[in-house]
């Protein structure tokens, strides 16, 4: 049985895309596969599973030497199981920059395309077999694309992502605006999460100037709910960083509707990074960054010390 999984701290794309590809391998290629996760899905991903009547995949802690694996929505070893080099990786499907470091036993299929969402790539790879896809698979695809593009607001959005989403929405008989509003409401409901859990919910490892960082984002239509917990979030940052072997946590609260980010400023290092990276003057414990929506395209590429 092939294991299909995405990155740690699974968001909607890293929850939905394993389900999509496991369906394709099993039903269309006649190669048994199962979707698995590296952690509990976020609130939007859980909403997606419920909305489309999809079973939550099993959560795994690691892989073994006997496992055959397909990696989706990442190619970064830091976001993969600790024993990934011992397993047999047979395919990678991703839309992020090449991080390097994954070793495979044999030549494999690798598909990395400059699109906003892994599910868009999968739609293209599945091709004519999409006609066989059940409602839940099409629904997961649509949800993943609208999540990763923030309903086409993100600068990572391409015309192809939009076209695929619009086709899926038409097939499913849903209105994108109404559907996305429900999604984002689910994403924004973080009342049940601790500050440490929020900092880890959507977080990537990154090295900057010799420092190991966690770059965390929280995308929401209700940013004030998160910003009201600003002091507690900043107090939790050192513990989360130490637990993950990092030195700092940078938290960007993305306001989906206003299309801006608020970066929390817990110390002088983060203040310096903010001023050098985004050409802003920081005067308090947070700074607003107009137009910043994408960690992949607008945050990580410009970070400087």
């Amino acid at each position: 049985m092939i294991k299909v999984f995405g990155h740690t701290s699974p968001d909607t794309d890293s929850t939905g895309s394993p389900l999509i590809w496991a369906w394709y391998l099993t039903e269309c290629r006649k190669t048994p596969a199962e979707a698995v996760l590296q952690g509990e899905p976020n609130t939007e991903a859980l909403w997606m599973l419920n909305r489309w009547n999809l079973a939550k995949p099993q959560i795994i802690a690691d892989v073994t030497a006997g496992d055959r694996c397909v990696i989706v929505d990442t190619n970064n070893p830091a976001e993969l199981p600790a024993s990934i080099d011992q397993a047999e990786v047979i395919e990678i499907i991703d839309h992020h920059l090449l991080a390097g470091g994954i070793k495979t036993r044999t030549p494999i299929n690798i598909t990395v395309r400059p699109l906003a969402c892994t599910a868009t790539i999968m739609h293209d790879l599945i091709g004519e077999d999409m006609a066989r896809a059940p409602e839940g698979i099409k629904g997961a695809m649509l949800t993943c694309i609208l999540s990763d593009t923030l309903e086409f607001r993100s600068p990572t959005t391409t015309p192809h992502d939009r076209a695929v989403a619009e086709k899926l929405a038409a097939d499913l008989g849903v209105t994108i605006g109404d559907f996305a509003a429900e999604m984002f409401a689910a994403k924004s409901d973080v009342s049940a999460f601790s500050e440490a859990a929020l900092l880890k919910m959507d977080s990537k490892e990154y090295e900057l100037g010799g420092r190991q960082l966690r770059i965390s984002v929280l995308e929401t239509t209700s940013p004030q709910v998160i910003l009201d917990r600003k002091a507690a979030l900043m107090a939790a940052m050192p513990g989360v960083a130490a637990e993950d072997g990092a030195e700092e946590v940078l938290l960007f609260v993305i306001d989906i509707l206003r299309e801006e980010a608020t970066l929390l400023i817990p110390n002088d290092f983060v203040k310096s990074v903010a001023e050098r990276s985004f050409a802003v003057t920081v005067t308090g414990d947070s700074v607003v960054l107009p137009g910043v929506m994408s960690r992949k395209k607008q945050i990580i590429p410009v970070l400087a010390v």
Side-chain angles (χ1 to χ4, degrees), residues 123 127 130-131 138 142 145 152 160-174 176:
H123 177 276
M130 279 302 303
K138 290 181 178 180
L142 174 63
I145 296 169
F152 315 133
H160 187 55
D161 290 295
R162 181 190 287 268
V164 171
E166 290 174 346
K167 180 181 184 300
L168 290 166
D171 289 347
L172 292 163
V174 302
I176 284 179

Side-chain angles (χ1 to χ4, degrees), residues 224-279:
Q224 196 56 49
V225 172
I226 297 170
L227 295 175
D228 284 344
R229 300 169 66 176
K230 181 166 51 177
L233 284 164
M234 290 192 291
M237 286 178 178
V240 168
E243 183 179 329
D244 292 341
E247 295 172 74
E248 301 284 351
V249 177
L250 274 63
L251 175 62
F252 296 80
V253 180
I254 309 293
D255 186 333
I256 295 171
L257 300 180
R258 292 179 64 90
E259 301 187 20
E260 65 185 20
T262 299
L263 170 61
L264 302 194
I265 309 293
N267 54 44
D268 287 342
F269 172 77
V270 178
K271 176 182 177 181
S272 175
V273 169
E275 292 183 337
R276 289 176 179 270
S277 305
F278 301 102

Side-chain angles (χ1 to χ4, degrees), residues 21 36 43 47 54 59 61 73 84 104 106 126 153 214 220-221 224 238 248 250 260 272 281 296:
W21 204 246
V36 295
T43 52
W47 176 87
L54 297 166
I59 295 174
D73 197 33
I84 191 63
T104 62
T106 60
I126 292 171
R153 294 176 175 88
R214 293 213 67 89
T220 177
T221 54
Q224 196 56 49
E248 301 284 351
L250 274 63
E260 65 185 20
S272 175
T281 300
K296 180 170 62 176

Side-chain angles (χ1 to χ4, degrees), residues 9-237:
S9 303
D11 57 9
T12 301
D13 196 22
S14 260
T15 302
S17 287
L19 286 163
I20 295 164
W21 204 246
W23 166 80
Y24 175 61
L25 290 177
T26 302
E27 299 299 327
C28 301
R29 290 191 183 175
K30 305 304 178 184
T31 306
E34 64 174 342
V36 295
L37 300 176
Q38 291 193 83
E40 191 68 27
N42 68 16
T43 52
E44 184 186 73
L46 288 171
W47 176 87
M48 172 187 68
L49 296 175
N50 182 66
R51 172 63 175 79
W52 298 110
N53 297 311
L54 297 166
K56 185 173 79 171
Q58 174 190 359
I59 295 174
I60 62 170
D62 204 352
V63 292
T64 68
D67 287 333
R68 300 177 71 214
C69 305
V70 174
I71 297 168
V72 304
D73 197 33
T74 185
N75 66 86
N76 186 348
E79 299 176 343
L80 294 170
S83 302
I84 191 63
D85 283 347
Q86 297 176 30
E88 183 183 357
V89 176
I90 61 174
E91 187 167 19
I92 298 173
I93 307 170
D94 192 19
H95 66 124
H96 295 91
L97 59 81
L98 286 174
I102 297 175
K103 295 181 180 179
T104 62
R105 298 171 184 267
T106 60
I108 67 171
N109 289 320
I110 300 178
T111 306
V112 179
R113 295 180 182 172
L115 295 168
C117 183
T118 307
T120 307
I121 300 171
M122 290 181 173
H123 177 276
D124 297 347
L125 294 176
I126 292 171
E128 293 181 357
D129 283 322
M130 279 302 303
R132 303 168 55 184
E135 181 181 75
I137 293 301
K138 290 181 178 180
M141 270 189 181
L142 174 63
T143 312
C144 291
I145 296 169
L146 292 178
S147 176
D148 268 10
T149 65
L150 297 176
E151 195 191 355
F152 315 133
R153 294 176 175 88
S154 172
T156 62
T157 307
T158 70
H160 187 55
D161 290 295
R162 181 190 287 268
V164 171
E166 290 174 346
K167 180 181 184 300
L168 290 166
D171 289 347
L172 292 163
V174 302
T175 302
I176 284 179
D178 295 341
F179 183 81
E182 290 185 53
M183 285 174 50
F184 296 151
K187 184 194 290 277
S188 302
D189 182 9
V190 296
S191 57
F193 293 88
S194 68
E195 282 74 24
L198 289 177
L199 293 171
K200 297 177 181 179
M201 186 173 288
D202 188 356
S203 188
K204 303 280 189 182
E205 295 185 14
Y206 185 69
E207 182 178 337
L208 181 66
R211 286 181 181 246
Q212 293 296 324
L213 309 179
R214 293 213 67 89
I215 312 299
S216 301
V217 301
L218 289 171
E219 298 163 342
T220 177
T221 54
S222 304
Q224 196 56 49
V225 172
I226 297 170
L227 295 175
D228 284 344
R229 300 169 66 176
K230 181 166 51 177
L233 284 164
M234 290 192 291
M237 286 178 178

